[in-house]
Amino acid sequence: MNIDDFNNNILANRWKERYANQPNDIKKKLDTFENSDYQLHIIKRKRIYPSVGDIFQLNPKDNICFYGIVVNTHINNINGDDLLVIMIFHNEVEIQDCVQRGIKEKDLLIPPQIVGKEYWTRGYFYNIGRFDGIMNVNNYGFYRIGKGKFVDEYGNVLNCEPELLGCSGVVTITGIAYQITQELIIRKII
C-alpha cells in the first residue's frame, strides 16, 4: 500500500488542476456547496436488478435530469457482490448513437462508476429505455488508489491507462450526487 498515492494520484492531481483553472466565483461555490443539499431526487422505487443496456434517468435538482446506461452487471470484486458499472452522459449526448460509435470522455458528465442496485431500489435511478444493440464500450477502467494501478471492474490489472477512467471503489448514494453537483457548478448550471 502506497500512502502517498491517497492524495497524490492521477485522479486527485487531475481534480487539483481542474479546480486551479476555475474562476474564483466557481472555486468559492465548489468550496462551500457541501453545506447545501446535493442529494439525488427520488423518481420511483423499483425492485429490479438492472440489465446491461438499460437506460436510466436521474434527477440531481428540480428540472434538471441526466441519463445513463448500465454497462456491466453482476460484478463481484473486493468491494462487494452484484455490483454494476454505469456511465452518466451530458444532456446533449444521444446515448444510443454514442454507445454504438464508442463512448468518448467528452460524452460523459462524470467518469464511469461502480454502484450497487440500491440506486434503483431506493428510486434514484429509474429505467426509461433499453439499448439492445452491440455496445462499443471497452475503453474504460478504474484507478485503484493506494495501489497505483489501473484495473477493470473485477480488479484485474490493466496494461495501460484507459480512455474513460473512474475510481475503483463502489460509489455511495451521495457520491454520485456530489460529483454531479461539482459538474453543475463548474458548468454554471447551478
Side-chain angles (χ1 to χ4, degrees):
M1 172 98 36
N2 181 355
I3 300 296
D4 292 335
D5 193 52
F6 283 99
N7 293 319
N8 187 19
N9 62 64
I10 192 168
L11 297 176
N13 292 338
R14 284 179 183 171
W15 172 252
K16 290 173 193 173
E17 181 180 345
R18 190 168 183 215
Y19 176 86
N21 289 327
Q22 299 302 316
N24 287 335
D25 62 323
I26 298 295
K27 286 181 186 176
K28 185 175 181 181
K29 283 185 178 182
L30 288 169
D31 292 342
T32 60
F33 87 88
E34 290 184 38
N35 300 328
S36 66
D37 177 26
Y38 59 88
Q39 183 57 272
L40 297 174
H41 291 260
I42 293 173
I43 301 170
K44 186 176 181 181
R45 291 176 171 91
K46 288 280 198 170
R47 296 258 176 230
I48 58 139
Y49 186 88
S51 299
V52 172
D54 282 352
I55 297 173
F56 59 89
Q57 177 182 340
L58 61 144
N59 294 64
K61 299 279 181 201
D62 290 333
N63 303 317
I64 299 175
C65 66
F66 294 98
Y67 301 93
I69 192 165
V70 177
V71 174
N72 198 357
T73 59
H74 299 291
I75 299 161
N76 300 321
N77 64 29
I78 193 169
N79 298 307
D81 296 333
D82 270 344
L83 302 172
L84 305 105
V85 173
I86 62 160
M87 296 191 187
I88 299 172
F89 297 85
H90 293 291
N91 283 340
E92 310 86 42
V93 172
E94 173 54 50
I95 294 175
Q96 302 224 8
D97 292 341
C98 191
V99 172
Q100 284 179 318
R101 70 165 157 74
I103 300 170
K104 303 292 182 205
E105 186 176 21
K106 65 181 174 66
D107 300 327
L108 298 178
L109 181 66
I110 60 176
Q113 305 290 313
I114 299 174
V115 299
K117 68 178 180 177
E118 63 274 2
Y119 278 93
W120 284 267
T121 58
R122 294 184 185 178
Y124 297 115
F125 292 174
Y126 183 73
N127 287 358
I128 58 158
R130 182 157 180 74
F131 179 79
D132 288 319
I134 296 172
M135 293 198 304
N136 185 7
V137 184
N138 55 5
N139 57 342
Y140 69 90
F142 304 92
Y143 185 76
R144 184 107 186 264
I145 295 174
K147 299 288 185 183
K149 296 180 179 178
F150 301 111
V151 297
D152 66 12
E153 57 266 55
Y154 301 101
N156 301 316
V157 176
L158 301 174
N159 294 330
C160 61
E161 179 183 343
E163 180 183 350
L164 308 175
L165 182 64
C167 186
S168 68
V170 178
V171 182
T172 64
I173 292 290
T174 56
I176 296 277
Y178 183 90
Q179 291 178 64
I180 289 174
T181 302
Q182 285 179 319
E183 287 302 315
L184 294 176
I185 291 169
I186 289 171
R187 295 168 194 278
K188 299 182 179 182
I189 296 172
I190 60 170

